[in-house]
Amino acid sequence: MVKRKRFWKIVTYTLLIGYGLVTLYPFLWAVMASFKPYSEIIGGGLSLLPKAPTLENFSYIFTRDPLFPRWILNSFIIATSGTILNIIFNSMAGYALARLRFPGRKQMFLLILAVIMVPAQILLIPNYLIMKSIGILDTYNALILPGAINFGYIFMMRQFFVNFPKEVEEAAQMDGLSRTQTFFRIVFPMAQASIATQGVFVFLGLWNEFMKPLLYITSPEKYTLTLGLQSFQTQNATQWNYIMAASVVSIIPILILYIVLNKYFMKGVRIGGDK
């Protein structure tokens, strides 16, 4: 019996490792291709390591294409601003639904649950018409304001605050803190694991967003990085070395964010799973 379990355990791990290598290889090839000259890429072969590594591909996208650094800056501004707004508003809304008692609270919570089930694509055209009527198309606000809150993360934060110990808030109020002061000085800092989890996902979603910039942004100098990459790929249709370098640059901020917040992110995922 023990030998049989050990056998199937070995088989399972072998299959998982094999699957992991199969899915990881294309990513590693793209990263290594960003350091290869064009002639080596079109020469064929599936070798990972470049024979003549070069940084010319990265130099080209930053020096020969003047809009590429601007696209990175645009994405950073939009993703950072949107993440900050989401963290503040989603957390405040979740706390209000969990702790405050006001007329229509249950109905509002049910409405939020219903809206979560609505596909985001359905809202693209209504949002477009609204932003056109108020004159913010082709601006950063067109990408930041409609996504300043997220009903899914309001629900997540509400679930966290429902299980938050009331004794901590009562002690803070006995020390003379108001409800607002208690939230920002006591509750909010203690929710850093859930906030970090929310922040990573929101930043990732805003950074990788393609459809909204495609609909709402028309000026090339205001493109986000994802939209700019599509334009860059069109201009350099066969220059895979430049395309791979640009793609690698686009994932660096996500990797840095995950590495910095990894401890809180994993803790937040465990908390969410337990609840």
Side-chain angles (χ1 to χ4, degrees):
M1 190 68 178
V2 175
K3 291 183 178 180
R4 181 179 299 178
K5 288 183 178 180
R6 184 178 301 173
F7 170 77
W8 285 112
K9 187 176 182 179
I10 293 174
V11 171
T12 301
Y13 276 99
T14 301
L15 291 175
L16 290 175
I17 292 172
Y19 178 76
L21 292 175
V22 170
T23 55
L24 186 62
Y25 182 85
F27 173 75
L28 293 177
W29 186 92
V31 173
M32 292 297 103
S34 67
F35 295 97
K36 294 180 180 180
Y38 179 69
S39 58
E40 187 175 339
I41 294 177
I42 64 174
L46 296 176
S47 63
L48 285 178
L49 298 178
K51 297 177 182 177
T54 177
L55 295 176
E56 194 276 333
N57 301 329
F58 296 94
S59 175
Y60 176 89
I61 63 176
F62 282 104
T63 59
R64 302 289 182 85
D65 195 328
L67 288 179
F68 191 83
R70 179 61 186 268
W71 295 337
I72 296 176
L73 179 61
N74 292 342
S75 287
F76 184 78
I77 292 173
I78 292 168
T80 302
S81 302
T83 301
I84 293 173
L85 291 175
N86 267 271
I87 288 175
I88 294 174
F89 293 148
N90 296 342
S91 300
M92 293 176 66
Y95 182 76
L97 289 171
R99 284 290 190 262
L100 304 184
R101 298 294 181 265
F102 54 89
R105 181 175 65 92
K106 292 184 179 180
Q107 291 77 5
M108 185 177 295
F109 179 63
L110 293 176
L111 180 61
I112 289 175
L113 293 180
V115 173
I116 292 175
M117 303 176 192
V118 178
Q121 292 79 1
I122 294 179
L123 304 177
L124 289 175
I125 301 305
N127 282 337
Y128 177 89
L129 296 176
I130 292 172
M131 288 185 288
K132 181 179 179 180
S133 64
I134 62 178
I136 63 171
L137 283 177
D138 199 27
T139 66
Y140 290 160
N141 289 332
L143 299 175
I144 296 173
L145 295 182
I149 62 171
N150 184 292
F151 291 111
Y153 296 119
I154 289 176
F155 174 76
M156 184 187 80
M157 296 307 298
R158 186 258 182 193
Q159 296 304 103
F160 174 84
F161 291 129
V162 162
N163 295 277
F164 190 84
K166 293 183 178 180
E167 294 79 7
V168 175
E169 298 173 75
E170 293 172 353
Q173 292 171 3
M174 290 179 64
D175 287 339
L177 296 183
S178 65
R179 174 72 74 173
T180 302
Q181 291 173 324
T182 299
F183 174 75
F184 283 107
R185 296 176 60 179
I186 305 297
V187 178
F188 192 78
M190 294 181 69
Q192 57 184 228
S194 295
I195 290 172
T197 303
Q198 176 188 178
V200 169
F201 283 122
V202 171
F203 188 93
L204 179 64
L206 292 171
W207 184 268
N208 290 330
E209 183 64 62
F210 176 76
M211 186 59 66
K212 291 179 181 178
L214 181 64
L215 287 176
Y216 304 155
I217 304 298
T218 56
S219 302
E221 66 274 10
K222 295 179 181 177
Y223 282 178
T224 60
L225 186 55
T226 51
L227 190 57
L229 282 175
Q230 191 267 344
S231 174
F232 183 83
Q233 185 173 353
T234 301
Q235 298 171 17
N236 302 272
T238 59
Q239 301 295 318
W240 293 108
N241 51 331
Y242 300 144
I243 294 173
M244 290 298 102
S247 300
V248 168
V249 169
S250 71
I251 67 174
I252 291 176
I254 300 298
L255 292 177
I256 294 175
L257 181 68
Y258 180 77
I259 291 172
V260 172
L261 298 178
N262 178 60
K263 178 177 69 174
Y264 302 108
F265 174 76
M266 296 306 298
K267 183 178 178 182
V269 170
R270 287 196 298 269
I271 291 173
D274 293 340
K275 294 183 179 183

